[in-house]
């Protein structure tokens, strides 16, 4: 997604968030296609998604929270995002999946991408050794577009659902839980490329709202069946609808009521969590929804927390980023007391540099002087001081999410630099196991 569009969305989002008492600053999608960031050096061993019981020096879900989810997104697989998978777009003028799928040869290119980007070997990487020993749920959130089920009147190619089903089968074998995420809906709910179509927002046109419900019927009936119970633990009805411009937040909430009732009636699995993104208004804006729905704990809210997109975050050094991550806990905890709150996306990425003294940090993407290094540098060139600063920020986020939410999913399994869970495990900026800590107690 172009930076100019991001800037417009961020400005609108900040204005919308200022009206929400319980909201907290969040990313307004998508991730920029110029993004580069972090990793380090560590031998790949057991998956960072390992679950552990509480112990000194580790995080972990408190007693009684065996359904706590620690996971990662499988982004840019079944819904293309050019900044993450630029190679797929080579030789085309497309900026999003709408444009890509309309090009000659798209079907063959998509199949090649689907076959190679995420495979059973990746599931095995996530499940190596530790998950089966600890017996607590690790999970993956898999974005998919509405066009996998209904591509009428669009250039979109069908076929992604077969790969989703395949991934669910792999996950079941490995003991990994799956959260199915409707990442793009008819008309585009946000105008970002991650919805499938960048540009105009037409999701709240009546026909598109109805069509979205019909897609959810199909998905809920299939993946909410007893056949998938125990593996598919969540169905996200919509990802990142904006709450400004062409979208009205009241309309989004009314649609959510209808969508929830539809999914709940179609899903035979009564343990399936039914999730809605907070529409960039903060999880606290949704605490009244469970009573309206009489959901008995089934309805949850997804919030996305980043510190790399808005101008106010770009002015922070790493210590300030860590302090802000710790500060998220207050609002998250309050909302999580009313309904399950999940951080469906977060990232290790910040625009910061480690100064030449190897200790202090400064905001920015470049810095003068020998020994100074920024996260925008190639991850293979990172020195220990930068590795340590990124690891501290990651651990602060994880400590907050462990204590004050019902689960979290990093964005993303693969991606450039710090956006890659795989590289994070390989290079050490993500704890392995995910509950281990080099810097415990940062949030008090």
């Amino acid at each position: 997604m172009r930076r100019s569009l991001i800037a417009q969305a961020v400005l609108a989002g900040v204005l919308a968030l200022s009206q929400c008492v319980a909201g907290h600053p969040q990313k307004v999608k998508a991730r920029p296609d110029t993004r580069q960031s972090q990793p380090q050096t560590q031998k790949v061993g057991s998956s960072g998604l390992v679950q552990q019981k509480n112990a000194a020096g580790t995080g972990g879900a408190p007693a009684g929270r065996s359904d706590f989810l620690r996971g990662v997104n499988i982004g840019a697989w079944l819904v293309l995002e050019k900044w993450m998978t630029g190679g797929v777009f080579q030789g085309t003028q497309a900026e999003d999946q709408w444009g890509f799928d309309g090009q000659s040869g798209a079907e063959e290119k998509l199949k090649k991408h689907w076959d190679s980007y995420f495979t059973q070997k990746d599931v095995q990487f996530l499940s190596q050794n530790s998950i089966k020993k600890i017996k607590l749920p690790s999970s993956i959130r898999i974005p998919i577009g509405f066009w996998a089920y209904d591509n009428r009147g669009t250039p979109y190619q069908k076929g992604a659902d077969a790969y989703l089903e395949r991934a669910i089968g792999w996950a079941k074998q490995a003991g990994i839980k799956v959260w199915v995420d409707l990442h793009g809906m008819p008309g585009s709910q946000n105008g970002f490329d991650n919805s499938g179509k960048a540009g105009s927002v037409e999701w709240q046109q009546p026909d598109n709202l109805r069509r979205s419900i019909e897609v959810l019927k199909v998905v809920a009936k299939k993946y909410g069946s007893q056949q998938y119970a125990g593996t598919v633990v969540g169905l996200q009805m919509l990802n990142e609808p904006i709450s400004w411009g062409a979208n009205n937040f009241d309309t989004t909430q009314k649609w959510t009521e209808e969508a929830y009732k539809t999914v709940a009636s179609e899903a035979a699995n009564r343990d399936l969590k039914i999730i809605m993104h907070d529409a960039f208004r903060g999880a606290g804006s949704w605490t009244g929804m469970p009573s309206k729905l009489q959901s008995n704990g089934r309805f949850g809210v997804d919030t996305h927390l980043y510190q790399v997109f808005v101008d106010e975050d770009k002015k922070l050094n790493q210590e300030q980023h860590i302090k802000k991550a710790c500060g998220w806990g207050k609002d998250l905890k309050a909302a999580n007391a009313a309904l399950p709150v999940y951080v469906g996306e977060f990232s290790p990425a910040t625009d910061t540099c480690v100064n030449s003294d190897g200790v202090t940090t400064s905001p920015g993407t470049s810095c003068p002087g020998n020994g100074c290094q920024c996260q925008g540098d190639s991850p293979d060139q990172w020195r220990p001081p930068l590795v340590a600063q990124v690891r501290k920020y990651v651990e602060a986020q994880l400590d907050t999410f462990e204590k004050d939410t019902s689960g979290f999913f990093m964005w993303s399994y693969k991606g450039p630099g710090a956006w890659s869970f795989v590289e994070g495990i390989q290079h050490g900026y993500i704890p392995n196991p995910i509950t281990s800590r080099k810097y415990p107690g940062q949030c008090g």
Side-chain angles (χ1 to χ4, degrees), residues 77 100 136 152 254-255 281 435:
W77 183 37
F100 181 89
L136 290 177
R152 291 173 297 129
K254 289 176 182 176
W255 178 87
R281 296 296 293 265
T435 51

Side-chain angles (χ1 to χ4, degrees), residues 71-343:
V72 64
N73 286 273
I74 314 302
W77 183 37
L78 305 182
V79 177
L80 299 179
E81 295 192 37
K82 186 175 182 178
W83 73 277
M84 295 177 68
T85 54
V88 178
F89 284 80
Q90 285 184 356
T92 79
Q93 300 298 314
E95 297 294 330
D96 53 26
Q97 184 132 15
W98 175 280
F100 181 89
D101 283 13
Q103 304 256 342
S104 176
E107 185 175 3
E108 181 179 352
K109 290 180 180 179
L110 278 175
K111 188 177 185 305
K112 183 177 180 180
H113 172 69
W114 291 339
D115 281 332
S116 60
Y117 191 75
F118 186 74
T119 70
Q120 190 167 17
K121 288 184 178 179
D122 294 301
V123 175
Q124 291 168 351
F125 170 81
L126 291 174
S127 67
Q128 281 178 356
N129 304 318
S130 51
I131 289 177
K132 292 180 181 178
K133 292 180 181 179
I134 303 301
K135 304 293 186 184
L136 290 177
S138 290
S139 48
I140 52 177
R141 178 176 179 257
I142 306 181
I144 194 165
F146 78 91
W147 54 89
Y149 308 97
D150 176 7
N151 65 347
R152 291 173 297 129
T154 76
Y156 291 126
Q157 301 285 336
K158 295 186 78 173
D161 181 63
Y163 287 84
L164 172 60
E165 186 169 1
R166 185 182 300 178
I168 292 171
W170 296 333
K172 182 177 182 178
Q173 293 176 26
I176 294 176
K177 308 301 180 183
V178 177
W179 178 327
V180 177
D181 161 37
L182 270 298
H183 219 66
M185 279 295 198
S188 177
Q189 70 274 15
N190 54 31
F192 306 146
D193 62 347
N194 62 58
S195 71
K197 188 173 187 288
S200 62
V201 177
E202 300 176 355
W203 172 65
Q204 289 194 351
Q205 292 183 3
D207 286 348
N208 287 330
L209 292 175
R210 285 192 293 269
R211 190 174 179 183
S212 298
I213 296 289
E214 291 303 312
V215 169
L216 285 174
K217 281 184 181 179
V218 175
V219 179
K221 186 172 183 178
K222 180 175 183 177
Y223 293 117
S225 68
Q226 290 300 327
Q227 175 184 349
Y228 296 96
T231 300
V232 177
V233 296
L235 195 164
Q236 182 160 349
M237 300 183 292
L238 185 62
N239 178 71
E240 293 190 340
I242 61 173
S243 292
W244 56 89
N247 279 0
N248 178 278
F249 184 57
D250 288 341
T251 301
T252 297
Q253 290 205 313
K254 289 176 182 176
W255 178 87
T256 299
E257 293 183 48
E258 182 182 355
Y260 173 87
K261 292 173 183 176
T262 298
V263 172
S265 66
E266 293 290 338
N269 175 13
R270 299 305 174 191
D271 293 324
L272 182 75
K273 293 290 186 183
I274 303 171
I275 313 298
M276 181 64 184
H277 183 262
D278 67 5
F280 300 108
R281 296 296 293 265
S285 296
W286 293 83
T287 55
M289 188 62 72
S291 61
K292 289 183 180 179
L293 300 175
Q294 298 182 334
S295 59
N296 296 316
R298 291 190 75 187
F299 178 77
V301 67
D302 164 36
T303 191
H304 297 172
L305 296 171
Y306 293 93
Q307 293 191 40
V308 73
F309 291 102
V310 300
D311 288 342
E312 67 180 64
D313 288 336
K314 292 178 178 294
K315 298 175 183 177
L316 303 180
N317 63 27
Q318 198 74 336
E319 182 178 0
Q320 292 169 323
H321 282 299
I322 291 168
K323 182 178 179 181
K324 184 171 182 176
C326 294
W328 286 334
K330 181 179 179 181
D331 286 345
L332 289 171
K333 183 177 182 178
N336 197 51
L339 78 171
V341 174
Y342 302 91
V343 180

